[in-house]
Amino acid sequence: MIRVRKIAHASYEMPDPEKQIEYYTEILGLSLVERNNDAAYLASTVDHHSVVLRRGSEARCTRVGFEIAEDDDLGAFEKQVQEQGIKTQRKNDPEPTIAEMVTFADPKGTTMEVFKRGAFSGQRFQNKGIVPHKLGHVAFHVTEVKKVTDFYCDVLGFRVSDWMADFFSFLRCGPDHHTINLMETGSNRHFHTAFELRDWGHLQTACDYLSLNGYKLLWGPGRHGIGHNLFAYHRSPNGLITELFAELDRMNEELGYFEPRPWHRDRPQRPKVWAKDPSASNLWGILPGEEMMK
Ligand SMILES: [Fe+2]
C-alpha cells in the first residue's frame, strides 16, 4: 500500500486568528510566510507551511496535511482510499506550493489532505521566539478510538507505536514515535498540537520565555513514559493546547524497536500496550491537572 510518510501541516479555525498569528510569530517563532483573505500560513521548516489559520466560530483543528513520497503516485493513492469505500476529492492548487491534493474526511470529521511536496520556496527559520524544529504531532479526543485508529492504519498507512490500555493510541507515519495520537474521552475534538524543540536546554529556554510573556504551563516539564519525550504543555490564545517536546523515541523500522535510550525500561523498547499506570504518562511522577482535559 502507499503510506503517508510525514505530517506536513495542520489547519485550524478560531474566533480570533489575529491573536493566534501574533502568538505563533512572536512566541512560538514561526514565520508568517503568506496571507490572503482566506488564511494565514505559518512556516517552521522545509514545509512552506506547518500551520494554517482561518477564522471560525470555535477553536478547532479542521484539517491535517500529510505527504506521500516523491515516487508515489497520487492517483494510485486516491484509488487505494476509494477502495476502502471512502469518498475523495481532487484539488488543484489548493494551497501555496501544493499543486495537487487528495482530500477526504476521517471518521471524526477532520479533513485529510494528502499531497506530494512542492519545490522549496525559500522560507527561513525565524530568529525570534522559541523557533521549533518542526510540527511534531496532533492529538485528538475521540469517541471511538479503535475505529479511528484502524482508519489511520488501513487508509493512510500509519503503524501503531503504542497503546495506553485500550483508550489511547500513538501512531507513526515515519521514524517519530507518534504523529497522530487518539484518546477516547467521549467527544471528538482537538487535544493538543506538538512542536519539536532541540533538547532539554531549548525546552528550559522556551518555558522561561513563555513565563516572561505571561504563558503558564498546564503540565510539565516531565518525561512521558509512552514515547519518552520531554514535554511541557501550555494553552495558546484561542484556547488550543500546545505541547513543546524533545527526545521523542525514534523507530528503527528494520529492527522493529525504538532507538535505545538510558531512560527506557524495556530493552529493547518495542511497540506494546502499556498499563494505565501514572508512569506511562510521566516517568517523573507528576500527573496532569483537570485543566489539561478542558
Ligand atoms: Fe503530545
Side-chain angles (χ1 to χ4, degrees), residues 6 23 31 43-44 70 80 98 110 136 175 183 213 245 268 293:
K6 176 183 174 296
Y23 159 80
S31 337
S44 73
E70 302 224 334
Q80 175 186 293
I98 300 173
T110 310
M183 180 169 66
N213 286 282
F245 72 93
M293 297 305 283

Side-chain angles (χ1 to χ4, degrees), residues 12-56:
Y12 305 85
E13 287 181 2
M14 55 199 53
D16 191 347
E18 292 308 320
K19 248 191 191 151
Q20 203 75 5
I21 291 169
E22 191 186 334
Y23 159 80
Y24 272 117
T25 54
E26 302 300 315
I27 306 300
L28 266 196
L30 305 191
S31 337
L32 180 62
V33 285
E34 194 154 336
R35 247 198 119 165
N36 56 35
N37 290 338
D38 171 49
Y41 297 89
L42 296 125
S44 73
T45 177
V46 296
D47 301 300
H48 174 268
H49 46 279
S50 303
V51 171
V52 184
L53 304 178
R54 290 184 176 83
R55 193 176 298 279

Side-chain angles (χ1 to χ4, degrees), residues 62-78:
T62 50
R63 318 175 188 181
V64 184
F66 299 105
E67 270 178 55
I68 54 172
E70 302 224 334
D71 53 0
D72 285 337
D73 185 77
L74 191 64
F77 176 82
E78 183 173 21

Side-chain angles (χ1 to χ4, degrees), residues 262-277:
W263 41 82
H264 286 169
R265 269 52 165 182
D266 297 352
R267 299 174 198 287
Q269 189 76 46
R270 296 182 190 278
K272 66 172 182 176
V273 178
W274 292 60
K276 194 193 169 192
D277 177 89

Side-chain angles (χ1 to χ4, degrees), residues 73-84 88 90 102:
D73 185 77
L74 191 64
F77 176 82
E78 183 173 21
K79 199 159 162 262
Q80 175 186 293
V81 174
Q82 289 169 343
E83 279 165 6
Q84 304 269 341
T88 61
R90 191 68 169 256
V102 170

Side-chain angles (χ1 to χ4, degrees), residues 54-265:
R54 290 184 176 83
R55 193 176 298 279
S57 55
E58 53 172 335
R60 61 195 191 104
C61 177
T62 50
R63 318 175 188 181
V64 184
F66 299 105
E67 270 178 55
I68 54 172
E70 302 224 334
D71 53 0
D72 285 337
D73 185 77
L74 191 64
F77 176 82
E78 183 173 21
K79 199 159 162 262
Q80 175 186 293
V81 174
Q82 289 169 343
E83 279 165 6
Q84 304 269 341
I86 293 154
K87 203 164 161 271
T88 61
Q89 276 193 299
R90 191 68 169 256
K91 294 180 180 167
N92 293 319
D93 296 318
E95 292 177 11
T97 76
I98 300 173
E100 275 190 303
M101 186 184 259
V102 170
T103 70
F104 48 97
D106 78 3
K108 62 184 163 47
T110 310
T111 302
M112 308 282 96
E113 300 183 321
V114 178
F115 59 96
K116 284 186 178 188
R117 165 110 343 267
F120 177 60
S121 57
Q123 66 280 352
R124 305 216 184 287
F125 283 92
Q126 228 178 228
N127 56 12
K128 65 173 178 186
I130 292 166
V131 192
H133 282 176
K134 64 177 184 185
L135 170 66
H137 59 269
V138 185
F140 293 92
H141 294 268
V142 295
T143 54
E144 295 178 285
V145 69
K146 180 76 174 64
K147 183 174 166 190
V148 186
T149 298
D150 285 349
F151 175 91
Y152 277 84
C153 294
D154 299 344
V155 177
L156 291 147
F158 274 74
R159 295 175 166 97
V160 175
S161 282
D162 279 312
W163 276 93
M164 191 190 290
D166 59 357
F167 69 96
F168 200 172
S169 65
F170 295 75
L171 313 175
R172 69 180 183 280
C173 64
D176 288 345
H177 178 279
H178 54 280
T179 307
I180 292 288
N181 35 347
L182 305 164
M183 180 169 66
E184 187 164 303
T185 57
S187 63
N188 288 313
R189 60 190 173 96
H190 176 264
F191 178 19
H192 63 266
T193 300
F195 293 89
E196 185 181 59
L197 304 191
R198 281 190 304 281
D199 55 18
W200 176 242
H202 195 188
L203 194 61
Q204 182 204 357
T205 307
C207 291
D208 279 329
Y209 189 71
L210 287 170
S211 152
L212 283 167
N213 286 282
Y215 290 88
K216 300 272 187 271
L217 296 187
L218 291 174
W219 184 28
R223 184 186 292 285
H224 285 310
I226 299 177
H228 295 90
N229 42 319
L230 298 168
F231 67 85
Y233 294 85
H234 66 277
R235 198 175 287 283
S236 70
N238 280 269
L240 299 171
I241 295 176
T242 300
E243 175 190 4
L244 301 174
F245 72 93
E247 296 183 346
L248 180 68
D249 280 342
R250 289 178 67 83
M251 170 55 82
N252 183 324
E253 214 64 67
E254 281 71 34
L255 295 175
Y257 58 77
F258 299 102
E259 289 295 333
R261 295 287 182 265
W263 41 82
H264 286 169
R265 269 52 165 182

